Amino acid sequence: MVSNSIAVIAPTPAGDRLAQRLLDGLPNSGLWTKPRPDASPHAQTYEGPLSDLVATLWDQQDQLVFVLAVGAVVRLIAPFLTHKSQDPGIVVVDETGSLVLSLCGGHLGGADDLTRRIAALLGVSPVITSASAALDLPAVDTLGLPYGWRRGEGDWLAVAAAIAHQDPVSVTQTCGWALWQTVLPEGHPFQFVPSETAAAHLWISDRQPPPRSPQVCWHPRTLWVGVGCERGVSAALLESSIRQVLQSQGLAWEAIAGVASLDLKQDEQGLLELAQQWDWALHFFPAEQLAIQPVPNPSTVVADAVGTPSVAEAAAIAVGAVLIVEKQVFRDPSGACTVAIARAAQEYTPRPGKLYLIGTGPGALSQITPAAQAALADCDAIVGYQLYIDLIRPLLRPTQVIDARPITQEVQRAEAAIALAQRGLTVAVVSSGDCGIYGMAGLVLECLVAQGWDGQTPAVEVCPGITALQALAARVGAPLMHDFCAISLSDLLTPWPVIEQRLTAAAQADFVVALYNPRSRTRLQGIQTAVDIFRQARPKDTPVAIARSLYRDGETIHLTTLADIDVDQIDMLTVVLIGNQSTQRHGDRLVTPRGYGVRSSDT
Ligand code: SAH
């Protein structure tokens, strides 16, 4: 989901209090409430009837969230509703925050996505009643949005109804990413063998569809328009020329990715106007770069004038696309222009892409931060190790793309996630615990930097999680009250002598120490060496906690001492905590005194 502007409308004191919990997790949101002495300092206040406020916000905001009774909201918005392609998405939250409902504009208005996000922030189940959600199918009217496709003509209602009834829907896809097809559930109604007898048709192409009914069209933006023109040519001539070329070839206007031309045209008014109006990408090339493109119709006249024998054809090819329509010349009283069309193998997307680096905590869903849950709700794709994906499965939607690779393929996983984000998707990379503690966050950032990342695109947001040592500390009491450190015993990426040096230093410096990756099936000796190092530096009765599968099914926690550690109890799902010289055991609790000097009542 790309960030929209969201108005949270909470007239009552209880609603205002609840809304404040949401603002933090909803980028670009504002809160409106009634003027009151105790109104939230972040809120804007409104006087007069609520319907006046709704009238003002209706066209300004992408989504309206009402913390109000559903019936009141229905009456309020009824007079403003026009069409689902124009109306804002409407979400209703009850004042206690136990129910979040996508009321209107579920797909095009983004209300379903926002409802999921708010539900994640409040820790409740979203109420989403659209048919596609019930069938675990992508909604046909938002299908292409993650890929930057444009909606074409169509009877959207009829096709959506056919899908809802699970009638056969024939799909023709001639270009654009087929990723959406990979998440279709068993028994979905789409047929990928063209069929004229299907109940409805879905056309995904940069071409115009054949006339069929009911049918809807999505146009991946694969077409690059090469333009050459005389100075001062009008936007109207450029538009009518491009339209004529596309129409004569059966190509779709909505499939235009952008225009390409000579760098001298960077300030060509008509061209800029048109590009802005249609939100096209612009590519300008110097004459030398255009001159080397192989084109079918070079011209010596053009070469003499601007230093390259071709502008329109050469510029369209220079974008990295294949010429499919040779140049045509058009004139009107404002001047002359040439138009050529090339097709790129991959669609252009104006979406910048986003990477969330998410720590999902030790295991239980309750230990994942609401921010991380909201981020997961935003994502088009989730990348992670299978075990961690399985742990968060209830938070995922069937329409999200899942890339679950085996544990050893960290670099491939990071690169896969970056590649998805570079194509405009919002992507989560999940690690258990904290993503930045022996997790994927650092690797993803390193890979980005190695690829020359500008720090902006794709955007990166890190969502912290509860790491294993915190989870263990919480389960056994408060052993991290004084200085502590974490050491991983895995020598896959760190030479063992370095690990041993750190163990010795930590033991001597009297840190409480958490040992991550303590022992694998092939690394048996490391943990024994580590224990020996600590036995030399600390008393034999120093408390030790050995915890396996914390906050997961089959959790075990075993308290022992340095002298009695049984390394056979330890494996890769285990974290080991060794107390410092003053760590004390009280029953099944460990405490490392901070130094307040609290005495027992009987002394
Ligand atoms: N990013 C993770 C650590 C990954 S390294 C985090 O912040 O927790 C993997 C090691 O972490 C495991 O070998 C184990 O030592 C520890 N670990 C992770 N989750 C654990 C859990 N739920 N219970 C016990 N140990 C865990």
Side-chain angles (χ1 to χ4, degrees):
M1 185 176 91
V2 179
S3 290
N4 294 319
S5 60
I6 303 167
V8 182
I9 302 163
T12 64
D16 182 9
R17 275 195 299 279
L18 178 85
Q20 289 173 53
R21 282 170 57 195
L22 300 180
L23 286 192
D24 203 31
L26 300 177
N28 291 337
S29 61
L31 168 60
W32 277 262
T33 190
K34 278 272 185 201
R36 266 189 322 273
D38 61 345
S40 153
H42 305 295
Q44 306 180 50
T45 51
Y46 68 91
E47 307 271 3
L50 184 50
S51 55
D52 288 357
L53 177 70
V54 175
T56 313
L57 297 177
W58 194 261
D59 294 323
Q60 292 172 359
Q61 305 282 333
D62 296 305
Q63 281 112 21
L64 304 181
V65 179
F66 289 91
V67 188
L68 210 59
V70 181
V73 178
V74 170
R75 283 176 214 290
L76 260 171
I77 65 168
F80 301 102
L81 290 168
T82 54
H83 189 267
K84 61 181 181 173
S85 63
Q86 283 157 29
D87 297 332
I90 306 293
V91 175
V92 184
V93 186
D94 78 309
E95 286 184 348
T96 63
S98 52
L99 183 142
V100 192
L101 166 76
S102 172
L103 185 65
C104 250
H107 300 159
L108 297 180
D112 286 357
D113 286 344
L114 182 60
T115 298
R116 286 191 193 94
R117 192 174 174 107
I118 293 176
L121 291 168
L122 294 173
V124 300
S125 296
V127 182
I128 294 173
T129 56
S130 58
S132 58
L135 296 170
D136 292 346
L137 291 171
V140 72
D141 51 358
T142 55
L143 180 80
L145 295 182
Y147 318 113
W149 302 350
R150 284 189 166 155
R151 247 187 308 269
E153 291 300 307
D155 187 345
W156 296 92
L157 263 182
V159 175
I163 295 171
H165 290 110
Q166 303 224 270
D167 294 335
V169 175
S170 111
V171 180
T172 312
Q173 181 165 8
T174 68
C175 63
W177 211 352
L179 195 63
W180 70 277
Q181 297 178 14
T182 64
V183 292
L184 294 174
E186 290 268 308
H188 65 77
F190 297 107
Q191 295 183 347
F192 293 92
V193 186
S195 149
E196 295 309 314
T197 55
H201 302 270
L202 170 57
W203 176 258
I204 303 172
S205 176
D206 52 18
R207 306 190 62 77
Q208 291 292 359
R212 294 185 294 205
S213 181
Q215 174 169 253
V216 292
C217 302
W218 278 102
H219 298 296
R221 298 176 64 183
T222 54
L223 303 180
W224 290 90
V225 184
V227 173
C229 64
E230 289 175 3
R231 176 64 68 200
V233 91
S234 70
L237 174 66
L238 288 169
E239 176 165 347
S240 66
S241 309
I242 298 169
R243 281 194 188 277
Q244 207 174 312
V245 173
L246 292 177
Q247 207 162 12
S248 67
Q249 302 294 322
L251 294 166
W253 175 261
E254 294 87 349
I256 296 176
V259 286
S261 190
L262 180 65
D263 57 6
L264 282 177
K265 298 291 159 196
Q266 285 184 43
D267 58 354
E268 189 62 53
Q269 220 36 56
L271 194 59
L272 297 181
E273 247 174 60
L274 199 58
Q276 190 181 11
Q277 185 186 347
W278 294 99
D279 200 12
W280 289 342
L282 282 166
H283 279 294
F284 294 104
F285 299 97
E288 311 84 72
Q289 200 176 337
L290 296 183
I292 55 171
Q293 307 296 332
V295 294
N297 300 295
S299 149
T300 47
V301 182
V302 176
D304 289 345
V306 291
T308 164
S310 165
V311 173
E313 291 178 347
I317 296 171
V319 171
V322 176
L323 195 69
I324 55 168
V325 186
E326 295 181 13
K327 79 170 176 189
Q328 297 179 26
V329 186
F330 299 87
R331 272 174 227 289
D332 81 352
S334 73
C337 68
T338 52
V339 172
I341 311 284
R343 173 183 281 140
Q346 198 169 302
E347 68 269 56
Y348 160 81
T349 174
R351 295 174 101 219
K354 177 154 192 177
L355 279 164
Y356 282 108
L357 309 180
I358 298 180
T360 56
L365 297 179
S366 61
Q367 303 301 313
I368 305 181
T369 68
Q373 298 202 27
L376 283 170
D378 260 6
C379 287
D380 304 308
I382 320 284
V383 179
Y385 166 45
Q386 185 72 52
L387 173 69
Y388 303 154
I389 302 250
D390 288 344
L391 287 171
I392 58 166
R393 183 73 60 177
L395 301 177
L396 305 182
R397 291 195 299 285
T399 51
Q400 287 174 316
V401 175
I402 311 280
D403 182 333
R405 280 162 207 257
I407 191 145
T408 48
Q409 298 187 10
E410 280 82 14
V411 176
Q412 291 92 323
R413 209 181 297 146
E415 283 171 350
I418 292 170
L420 292 170
Q422 279 166 340
R423 288 187 72 171
L425 299 192
T426 302
V427 183
V429 180
V430 296
S431 291
S432 77
D434 185 89
C435 195
I437 298 179
Y438 310 123
M440 287 292 294
L443 177 58
V444 172
L445 287 169
E446 279 183 75
C447 290
L448 278 169
V449 171
Q451 294 181 19
W453 183 49
D454 64 358
Q456 310 280 327
T457 314
V460 172
E461 187 173 330
V462 184
C463 298
I466 295 171
T467 187
L469 83 90
Q470 289 172 289
L472 170 54
R475 282 293 199 228
V476 300
L480 302 178
M481 285 295 292
H482 221 295
D483 303 334
F484 63 89
C485 68
I487 298 178
S488 165
L489 297 192
S490 168
D491 59 357
L492 283 179
L493 302 168
T494 310
W496 179 255
V498 174
I499 299 172
E500 205 169 308
Q501 198 184 2
R502 289 182 184 161
L503 288 167
T504 308
Q508 284 168 357
D510 201 31
F511 283 115
V512 175
V513 177
L515 301 176
Y516 282 69
N517 301 306
R519 186 175 180 220
S520 74
R521 259 167 292 160
T522 51
R523 284 187 297 104
L524 304 173
Q525 184 50 39
I527 182 68
Q528 189 59 58
T529 311
V531 169
D532 291 343
I533 289 172
F534 280 89
R535 281 182 180 152
Q536 277 168 30
R538 294 189 192 174
K540 284 198 167 62
D541 61 349
T542 303
V544 168
I546 299 172
R548 189 170 191 281
S549 295
L550 286 154
Y551 290 88
R552 297 181 193 166
D553 286 343
E555 175 187 276
T556 58
I557 296 165
H558 180 63
L559 295 186
T560 178
T561 63
L562 255 184
D564 293 336
I565 290 186
D566 173 8
V567 292
D568 288 336
Q569 281 190 341
I570 297 171
D571 65 7
M572 276 305 266
L573 296 179
T574 310
V575 63
V576 178
L577 185 130
I578 302 174
N580 71 7
Q581 306 235 19
S582 49
T583 304
Q584 297 157 7
R585 177 168 173 185
H586 305 284
D588 56 3
R589 301 282 157 172
L590 296 186
V591 182
T592 303
R594 177 85 173 86
Y596 293 106
V598 182
R599 286 164 202 277
S600 301
S601 52
D602 56 9
T603 54

